[in-house]
Amino acid sequence: MSEQALKAISDRITDAHTRIQQDFDFINPVVGVNRQMRTAGIPADAMTVDCLKTNRRILLILHDQQPEQVHYQFGQRDQDPGPEFKTLSLDEVSEQQLYDWMASYFSVQS
């Protein structure tokens, strides 16, 4: 993954995170970048957006071979990701899209 794409997604998540904290006092997402896939020889980076209160996670995968696509999955923090990922173009994963995902997915109590 080009550092530019990773930076673009990171910037969008940061901006969406700031807005979420302003609009929802009970959602405080924790954002992380994980490069363990790269260490294991897989040319990809993973980004997680976690909600500790609901135990939910949004997982984003950025593959070097598909630099204009973002693979994503909604899941639980305490469970391994499933095999099925959805895909959007890098441009479609906007600050607003990330905000909407966090607002809707993290607001629902399980």
Side-chain angles (χ1 to χ4, degrees):
M1 162 106 296
S2 75
E3 289 297 318
Q4 292 174 331
L6 184 59
K7 181 175 179 354
I9 290 292
S10 294
D11 289 347
R12 293 173 197 167
I13 287 177
T14 298
D15 293 342
H17 180 270
T18 300
R19 288 177 50 209
I20 283 289
Q21 287 184 307
Q22 292 169 350
D23 296 346
F24 298 90
D25 58 354
F26 59 93
I27 300 176
N28 186 17
V30 177
V31 178
V33 175
N34 185 324
R35 297 196 134 181
Q36 290 179 351
M37 292 171 64
R38 219 169 265 296
T39 303
I42 302 167
D45 295 310
M47 298 187 74
T48 57
V49 184
D50 293 339
C51 180
L52 303 179
K53 185 172 182 97
T54 61
N55 195 42
R56 293 183 176 203
R57 168 175 284 167
I58 300 169
L59 174 63
L60 306 168
I61 304 290
L62 310 167
H63 288 279
D64 289 357
Q65 291 88 4
Q66 300 168 326
E68 294 303 317
Q69 293 185 341
V70 177
H71 303 275
Y72 68 97
Q73 183 180 107
F74 297 93
Q76 299 292 313
R77 291 179 46 247
D78 58 357
Q79 296 176 2
D80 288 336
E84 300 296 320
F85 282 81
K86 294 182 180 178
T87 303
L88 286 175
S89 74
L90 181 63
D91 291 337
E92 289 178 290
V93 184
S94 64
E95 174 191 338
Q96 186 61 50
Q97 181 64 68
L98 291 160
Y99 176 93
D100 291 345
W101 283 346
M102 285 187 261
S104 64
Y105 190 57
F106 294 160
S107 291
V108 177
Q109 296 294 322
S110 43

